[in-house]
Amino acid sequence: ERTDDGDWSLRVRGASQLLSNAPGIHHVVAGRDGSIWTCQRSRRAARIDGYTRKIMAVREVATKASHMALDHERDRLFIADAGGNALVCVSSSNLEHLERWDMPGSPQLPLVTEEGIACVTISAAAALGIVWPQGDGYRTKVIEVGSGPHDPIVTPDGQSILVPCAGAGDVVRVSLSDGRITGRFKVGDGPAHIAVHPDGTRIYVANTFDGTLTCISPEGDLLNQVTSGRWAHVPKVIPDGRLVYVANFFDDTLAVFDAWTLERVAVLNTDAYPHGLDISPDGNSVVVTGFSSDHVRVFDATTYEEKARIKVGEGSAHTAFLTDNRTAFVGCSISDHLAVIDIEAETCTELLRLN
């Protein structure tokens, strides 16, 4: 944490394997057909039938995979290969290799737009990589955006990408048509993740280093900034647009805000290191992982009351939901398995491994 005189101090709160050194199952995404995709922070990715729990495909796709982005319409799964300095594209149905683009500098967090444009942040190069489909092929561009680019999102109008640059303290707007930088907005110290209000009028940025939540307009105008908690990192807005949740990594808390006034209405305890904050598609449940524990916590999204604390395994990171809104899959990086939880029954029903 940053001290009052501007220096940094490090506190060790407990024993846990480092996130970057845990090679097990980490990121998880869900498709409309009930498929679940996951990848280890090593070589393999997998597709799983979420309803039967059957593993449909497992392949080595990367040197050290980071995160994924699903293009369901075009049968494509984009995987950031941080260890191989590339963005990899595979078939989402059988994981067969389709394309690979060099992205030197440890690419980590990809996204894909409705038009099939893929983007990925390249942290060590302070850059954003863009891949455009073009005829039977692709064209690519890598542009420098600023120090510490993290988790990008598409703007509400679908015309641009917003890239939070933690080291620069900026959110950078990049045109999807040609990759030009069209705006740079100061939001706080250490912007990491971004959430968009369902009506598209407000954008929320969690600033990790100063522990704040910033709200800006789609044009980049500052609307409000409030304290969230130490190491505020991941914001999420519930589907009805009333509340914003923020996971505070260093406090082991979840802050809840009124989406319009940014009044902090609750602070909820989580397990150690709430790395993942995910909301069920129906907007009823919030699942918060605890990477440095072996439990996740489930909260009622509208009343922010804790409903369950469920043992899933060590290193819980990200969560994806089936369309039944009660079945969730949690990637546990240290235990190296997917934990299947039944939200209504408040229990872990199964552990899935790739081998």
Side-chain angles (χ1 to χ4, degrees), residues 105-108 121-127 146-149:
S106 189
Q108 293 189 34
T121 48
I122 311 171
S123 57
S147 175

Side-chain angles (χ1 to χ4, degrees), residues 125-161:
L128 176 74
I130 307 177
V131 177
W132 290 274
Q134 191 173 50
D136 293 331
Y138 300 85
R139 64 184 178 94
T140 65
K141 186 175 184 178
V142 175
I143 59 169
E144 186 175 339
V145 290
S147 175
H150 205 59
D151 193 12
I153 64 163
V154 180
T155 55
D157 63 9
Q159 301 301 306
S160 302
I161 295 290

